[in-house]
Structure formats: C-alpha cells, structure tokens
Amino acid sequence: MIEAAMIWNEPNNKSHWDLELDPDFRLFAETAIAGAEAIRDADSALPRVLGGMSPIDAGFVRNMQARGVLDHVEAVAVHGFPLDWNHWSIHDWPRMVAEIRALTHLPVWVSEVGVSTFGAEEVQAWGLARTAELLKGEAPRVLWYSLFDLPKAWEATTRHREAEGSSYYRHFYLGLIREDGTPKPSLEVFARHTPDLGLCQWFHFEDHRLDDAVRWMRRLGVRHLRTGLSWADWYRPNAQAWFDRMMDALAEFDVTVTYCFTPEHLGIAPHHSSPPQRKEDFAEFCHLMTERYAARTGIAAPRTLATAAGAA
C-alpha cells in the first residue's frame, strides 16, 4: 500500500535542486505547494511529507514555514550520513532530529540514513547498530539507505561528481548487499531491527533488481519502504508499464513514494534538478501518480497521520 507521498528528494541539496536558479527556494516552495495540493485533491487521506533535507538545516525549515509549505504537509524528513559526508558525529543523531522537531509541530522522519563500506564493511555494521540504538523511538520512520549497492556501471544521481572527488565513490557502497548479490555483515545486523527500521531503495528505470528486492525484504521482515517515481522517467517509452510493474511488486509493503526529478524539456534549465518552467506540470504528475497508485492499493479505511507518520 502507499502510506505517504513525499514531495521531492533533498530539495536543499544542490545535486537535487538547482540553487543557482532558485537561491531563496521561492520556486521550490511554489512547486511543493502545487504538488501537495494536487496530492490532496487526488487522495484526501494520503499523508504528504516534505522531501528529506540534506544537510539537516533549521534555516531551510524556517524558510519553508515562512513560505507556507509546512501548512501543506503532514510530516517533514531529514537525511544523514555522518560517517560519510556530514560534518557531525553519528552520536549526534538525537540532537539533529530534536533541532528540527523544535521548529515544527509536524513529525520528523529520518527517510535516509546510511553508512558506506567504502572504507571497511565492519564500519557499516557498527554504524548500523549504533544508528538503530540512537534512532529507534526518536522518529516515526527510520529508513536505511539502502538494500543494494549501486552497480558500478551506473552513475550516482548527482550533478556535482567533480566537486565530490573521491567521496563520489561512496555512493556505490551503501547497500547491505553487494553488487554480486552476496550479503555484507551488516545485513544480519539490519535483520535484528526490523520492522522498526525500514528501507529506502531507489529503483532505476526497468531495474533488474526489483524482484530480488521484494524477496529480500520479505526475508528480512521489512514493512516500510521508501522509493521514487521519477517525473523525468515518466517521459520514457513504456514508462507507465514500468511504474505499474514496480508498484504492483511493492504492494505488500507500506510504501512512501517520492515525486521528484524534472524532465529536461520541462525545466528552466535542461537537467533533472532544475525548477520546472510551470509548477502546474509537476502538480499534474503528482495528481496522476497519486490517483493511479493510491487507489490501486484498494484501501478502504482512510489513512491518518497515526498510521502513516506514527506517533510523534
């Protein structure tokens, strides 16, 4: 079932929203509100979540509050990778969540947290155990990124690979399962904490790993999953067939779908992190996806913040 719709991914990260085109986030706020209203129009009971912040930034929350975005969502989300990219200690996780919680009455989700095995697999196993210890009970959703390592033949979704230097390659080692399908030591650690910990797993267009992911999630006892429906992918040939196949395969899990990534031909600039030329185009996509897939779950009872966002 779809338990929530997330509006964009890491909107304050320059790799996912072009800050040069929208330095004060005015265009993002307008786009997010249009998307949120479209989701509500398509399914009045579906909770909406503001896309996870990366970095975790109180100033961004205040900006979204001032621009009215928080009046159109039922939760906000944060992302953190303190052993890989962030400049704070993993032990600070409760403080980081509390800093955002102090600014809003909305629940605060941790919709991406992870540790790469770029340095050592033992580091990931320790980091996962420590993350679970720190965050279970601190946030309604804690979603580990990710189940699978990113195949080395693919590219990480970032527009600033050159600026990342060697840190770019950490993107490829964040899974619990290696590219060859063998489990890392952290997989066993993760299994001790389900269903309290869920997963964030992005599926690429026509991703060959989808069926394996479903089998692994069943085996691990995963209940909550976050993934994406890419607006940019919607314009590929056979997009609807792929989206249908993916959502049908994931129907047994409580899925948060993330609507994001601008099609090149609809952006102010021709890349996926550009603000759209027309916010109405993004809203139309949000409405169409929500109407198609929220209804597809066959849920009779209205979803509420208690069921989708958990206890604050």
Side-chain angles (χ1 to χ4, degrees), residues 205-245:
F205 187 74
E206 297 182 339
D207 198 319
H208 65 281
R209 305 170 301 172
L210 176 62
D211 293 333
D212 282 343
V214 170
R215 285 190 286 269
W216 273 111
M217 288 190 290
R218 286 173 182 159
R219 180 176 172 181
L220 292 166
V222 170
R223 177 182 169 193
H224 301 286
L225 172 72
R226 174 177 166 248
T227 193
L229 290 177
S230 168
W231 184 26
D233 282 348
W234 184 242
Y235 290 90
R236 292 175 181 260
N238 303 316
Q240 183 169 298
W242 165 245
F243 281 12
D244 284 352
R245 169 162 146 60

Side-chain angles (χ1 to χ4, degrees), residues 130-311:
R130 182 60 174 150
T131 297
E133 179 184 3
L134 291 166
L135 287 179
K136 282 165 62 174
E138 284 289 328
R141 291 289 174 271
V142 180
L143 304 176
W144 185 263
Y145 179 83
S146 59
L147 178 61
F148 295 126
D149 275 351
L150 185 67
K152 295 180 180 64
W154 296 359
E155 289 189 355
T157 306
T158 172
R159 290 187 59 236
H160 301 281
R161 173 176 176 173
E162 295 78 8
E164 292 186 40
S166 63
S167 292
Y168 171 79
Y169 297 97
R170 293 177 179 270
H171 290 284
F172 294 84
Y173 296 93
L174 287 157
L176 303 171
I177 298 170
R178 304 180 190 95
E179 184 179 355
D180 65 5
T182 57
K184 300 179 186 179
S186 51
L187 187 76
E188 183 179 343
V189 179
F190 178 79
R192 297 175 199 152
H193 297 286
T194 58
D196 295 311
L197 264 60
L199 283 169
C200 174
Q201 178 65 56
W202 294 91
F203 294 104
H204 288 223
F205 187 74
E206 297 182 339
D207 198 319
H208 65 281
R209 305 170 301 172
L210 176 62
D211 293 333
D212 282 343
V214 170
R215 285 190 286 269
W216 273 111
M217 288 190 290
R218 286 173 182 159
R219 180 176 172 181
L220 292 166
V222 170
R223 177 182 169 193
H224 301 286
L225 172 72
R226 174 177 166 248
T227 193
L229 290 177
S230 168
W231 184 26
D233 282 348
W234 184 242
Y235 290 90
R236 292 175 181 260
N238 303 316
Q240 183 169 298
W242 165 245
F243 281 12
D244 284 352
R245 169 162 146 60
M246 183 175 77
M247 296 308 295
D248 283 347
L250 301 175
E252 67 192 81
F253 306 100
D254 292 342
V255 179
T256 294
V257 289
T258 307
Y259 303 143
C260 58
F261 300 153
T262 305
E264 290 189 0
H265 69 287
L266 295 179
I268 294 173
H271 55 73
H272 74 271
S273 64
S274 172
Q277 298 171 28
R278 299 177 66 254
K279 62 181 183 294
E280 293 83 3
D281 292 332
F282 178 64
E284 182 180 8
F285 176 74
C286 292
H287 189 282
L288 180 63
M289 294 298 98
T290 303
E291 189 173 55
R292 184 170 185 83
Y293 297 115
R296 207 176 177 86
T297 62
I299 297 168
R303 285 137 293 171
T304 67
L305 192 57
T307 58

Side-chain angles (χ1 to χ4, degrees), residues 16 55 65 204:
H16 299 292
Q65 203 161 35
H204 288 223

Side-chain angles (χ1 to χ4, degrees), residues 81-92:
F81 298 85
L83 294 182
D84 288 284
W85 294 298
N86 298 133
H87 298 295
W88 43 272
S89 166
I90 190 172
H91 309 295
D92 288 337

Side-chain angles (χ1 to χ4, degrees), residues 35-48 72 74 287 290:
E37 290 178 340
I39 293 165
R40 178 50 45 88
D41 183 60
D43 187 328
S44 62
L46 186 66
R48 302 158 298 176
H72 292 81
E74 283 68 53
H287 189 282
T290 303

